[in-house]
């Protein structure tokens, strides 16, 4: 039983590790043309969409822009549930990740992931990201620019206001200062070499990850998958529990 729990925990770590791959999107990439964003060097491919078929060695996925793509599976592919959470569960010291819109001086969250303790410090820094699932699933397109920022949340304040623009990014960090209050919450997130201020609007999708096994994969589930270049199978597959859309 202990061994099984450790294996499931490693699944979550592998899945979340895909959220920290430092790659930029490329509209000219063959994989990008299937809504599976990849770096110009094809370091990694990310797929977001709905599972339409489950086979032993692959998943067929309809991406959010209507294309059908295959996500390969092998013995190393890890699987995790994406489960709904909320700001009331956010406590001092939590490590979080958030995809954002807006320029660097006016970032606004479009989703928030509360990471397990095992992921603390992963991918610290600021680097390119692609269109978050929360945006793509809502019909926001697949070709936006974005970034990933991993760091430590060293404070949060009460209600703020702002305007969303077309850029997007990802900010990860550790929360201090308690859970969010009603209305918009601003998080102050520090990382090596910089700091970000991120506003979390009311209604922002907030999720956590739970370990699971490949046997849960089924037609109709919404998926976020990461496949490294040259790999025989996806590194990780995250599926929304109870119909949830993985927002990352």
């Amino acid at each position: 039983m202990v061994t099984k729990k450790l294996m499931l925990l490693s699944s979550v770590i592998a899945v979340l590790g895909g959220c920290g791959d430092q790659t930029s999107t490329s509209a000219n990439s063959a994989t990008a043309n299937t809504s599976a964003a990849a770096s110009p060097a094809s370091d990694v491919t990310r797929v977001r969409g709905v599972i339409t078929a489950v086979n032993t060695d692959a998943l067929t996925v309809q991406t959010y822009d209507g294309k059908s793509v295959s996500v390969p599976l092998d013995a190393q592919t890890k699987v995790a549930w994406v489960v709904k959470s909320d700001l009331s569960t956010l406590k001092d010291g939590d490590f979080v990740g958030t995809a954002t819109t807006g320029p660097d001086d006016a970032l606004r969250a479009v989703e928030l992931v509360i990471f397990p303790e095992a992921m603390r410090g992963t991918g610290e820094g600021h680097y390119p990201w692609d269109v978050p699932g929360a945006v793509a699933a809502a019909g926001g397109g697949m070709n936006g620019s974005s970034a990933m920022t991993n760091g430590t949340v060293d404070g949060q304040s009460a209600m703020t206001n702002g305007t969303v623009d077309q850029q997007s990014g990802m900010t990860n960090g550790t929360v201090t200062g308690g859970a969010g209050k009603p209305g918009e919450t601003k998080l102050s997130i520090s990382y090596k070499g910089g700091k970000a201020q991120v506003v979390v609007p009311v209604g922002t999708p907030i999720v956590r990850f739970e370990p699971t096994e490949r046997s849960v994969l089924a037609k109709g589930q919404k998926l976020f998958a990461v496949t490294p270049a040259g790999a025989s199978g996806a590194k990780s597959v995250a599926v929304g529990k109870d119909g949830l859309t993985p927002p990352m």
Side-chain angles (χ1 to χ4, degrees):
M1 179 64 73
V2 172
T3 300
K4 184 174 182 180
K5 287 182 177 178
L6 289 174
M7 291 176 64
L8 291 175
L9 178 59
S10 70
S11 298
V12 174
I13 294 173
V15 169
L16 297 183
C19 297
D21 287 319
Q22 299 185 30
T23 63
S24 59
T25 63
S26 172
N28 295 321
S29 166
T31 51
N33 288 336
T34 63
S35 301
S39 73
S42 297
D43 296 321
V44 67
T45 297
R46 304 185 190 102
V47 173
R48 301 170 174 89
V50 179
I51 298 173
T52 57
V54 179
N55 297 305
T56 303
D57 58 357
L59 301 172
T60 303
V61 178
Q62 181 174 329
T63 60
Y64 292 128
D65 58 351
K67 297 180 175 65
S68 180
V69 303
S70 179
V71 175
L73 304 175
D74 63 16
Q76 283 69 51
T77 302
K78 305 301 181 182
V79 181
W81 286 120
V82 183
V83 300
K84 187 176 182 179
S85 190
D86 57 64
L87 281 179
S88 68
T89 72
L90 199 60
K91 63 183 184 299
D92 291 2
D94 279 349
F95 193 77
V96 302
T98 178
T100 60
T101 61
D104 287 347
D105 60 353
L107 298 174
R108 290 173 66 81
V110 297
E111 61 90 33
L112 181 72
V113 177
I114 304 173
F115 288 105
E117 181 62 25
M119 288 299 297
R120 181 177 298 279
T122 299
E124 184 172 1
H126 182 81
Y127 39 86
W129 190 248
D130 52 3
V131 178
V135 175
M142 301 298 297
N143 297 314
S145 60
S146 59
M148 171 78 79
T149 306
N150 290 13
T152 300
V153 177
D154 49 28
Q156 66 180 280
S157 57
M159 298 174 65
T160 60
N161 293 290
T163 302
V164 174
D165 82 2
Q166 295 304 308
Q167 274 196 318
S168 65
M170 180 72 75
T171 304
N172 290 5
T174 304
V175 174
T176 60
K181 300 177 181 180
E184 296 184 341
T185 300
K186 179 180 283 186
L187 303 179
S188 176
I189 302 174
S190 298
Y191 55 91
K192 292 178 181 178
K195 176 177 287 193
Q197 304 291 323
V198 179
V199 171
V200 183
V202 176
T204 299
I206 299 171
V207 299
R208 292 182 181 267
F209 289 82
E210 289 182 354
T212 190
E213 299 176 332
R214 189 180 301 186
S215 59
V216 307
L217 295 174
K219 182 178 179 180
Q221 291 171 336
K222 298 174 183 177
L223 161 150
F224 170 70
V226 178
T227 305
S232 61
K235 173 183 179 181
S236 58
V237 174
V239 290
K241 196 169 189 178
D242 301 323
L244 183 71
T245 299
M248 67 290 302

